[in-house]
Amino acid sequence: MHLPRFIDKIRLKLAGKLHADYQPNYCKGFDGLWLETAGLEAEQFVDVVRHTITDGEVCDWVLKNVKSPDSVKAAHRERMFNYPKKDDPEMQARLKMRKESAGMAHREDIQTFVDFIDADEKRLRSH
């Protein structure tokens, strides 16, 4: 679910157009979790994106070269969908700050960063 977003960020970074808001977490956060699950180093995957034209080519490369068991993929999905955990005060504070910065502090339905991204990109409707 994160791969298309990550590819877009890499392409923007390579073009010198990645928004400043995304610079500090580039190849970290969800990007880093994806890299870790895929067993790849950031620069290795950036090179794959650099040498392809379409997202389909990147996906073909991933299908051919990244071999993670279904259990690892499921654990990765679960980790992303439930991040940050309720007992992680530092990341809960970061989520709160992101919501406030985006004018969504009132949104109690946004409990995770996946919820935040969906709301920010207009895929999660306001209640």
Side-chain angles (χ1 to χ4, degrees), residues 37-81:
T37 302
L40 300 172
E41 295 296 323
E43 197 52 46
Q44 177 187 12
F45 190 63
V46 169
D47 280 343
V48 169
V49 175
R50 178 184 287 119
H51 294 101
T52 58
I53 296 172
T54 68
D55 291 0
E57 290 174 298
V58 177
C59 290
D60 289 346
W61 185 92
V62 168
L63 288 171
K64 180 179 177 187
N65 295 284
V66 175
K67 304 295 180 193
S68 296
D70 288 342
S71 61
V72 171
K73 292 175 189 176
H76 173 69
R77 250 187 330 273
E78 192 67 24
R79 185 176 179 190
M80 286 187 68
F81 280 135

Side-chain angles (χ1 to χ4, degrees), residues 11-127:
R11 290 197 193 285
L12 288 168
K13 176 81 169 174
L14 291 171
K17 296 179 181 179
L18 184 63
H19 193 280
D21 289 352
Y22 295 102
Q23 297 286 345
N25 227 23
Y26 177 71
C27 290
K28 298 176 186 167
F30 283 162
D31 303 346
L33 290 174
W34 187 89
L35 290 165
E36 178 185 313
T37 302
L40 300 172
E41 295 296 323
E43 197 52 46
Q44 177 187 12
F45 190 63
V46 169
D47 280 343
V48 169
V49 175
R50 178 184 287 119
H51 294 101
T52 58
I53 296 172
T54 68
D55 291 0
E57 290 174 298
V58 177
C59 290
D60 289 346
W61 185 92
V62 168
L63 288 171
K64 180 179 177 187
N65 295 284
V66 175
K67 304 295 180 193
S68 296
D70 288 342
S71 61
V72 171
K73 292 175 189 176
H76 173 69
R77 250 187 330 273
E78 192 67 24
R79 185 176 179 190
M80 286 187 68
F81 280 135
N82 294 299
Y83 186 76
K85 298 222 179 276
K86 298 290 183 196
D87 62 353
D88 185 345
E90 180 182 343
M91 293 314 293
Q92 286 290 336
R94 181 173 293 185
L95 177 60
K96 180 180 178 191
M97 183 267 305
R98 296 270 187 198
K99 286 170 56 175
E100 289 168 353
S101 296
M104 293 187 264
H106 66 286
R107 298 279 305 271
E108 295 297 323
D109 59 317
I110 300 173
Q111 298 291 311
T112 67
F113 281 107
V114 169
D115 293 341
F116 175 77
I117 292 167
D118 282 348
D120 191 48
E121 294 181 356
K122 312 292 188 253
R123 288 188 299 266
L124 185 66
R125 286 182 280 161
S126 173
H127 289 83

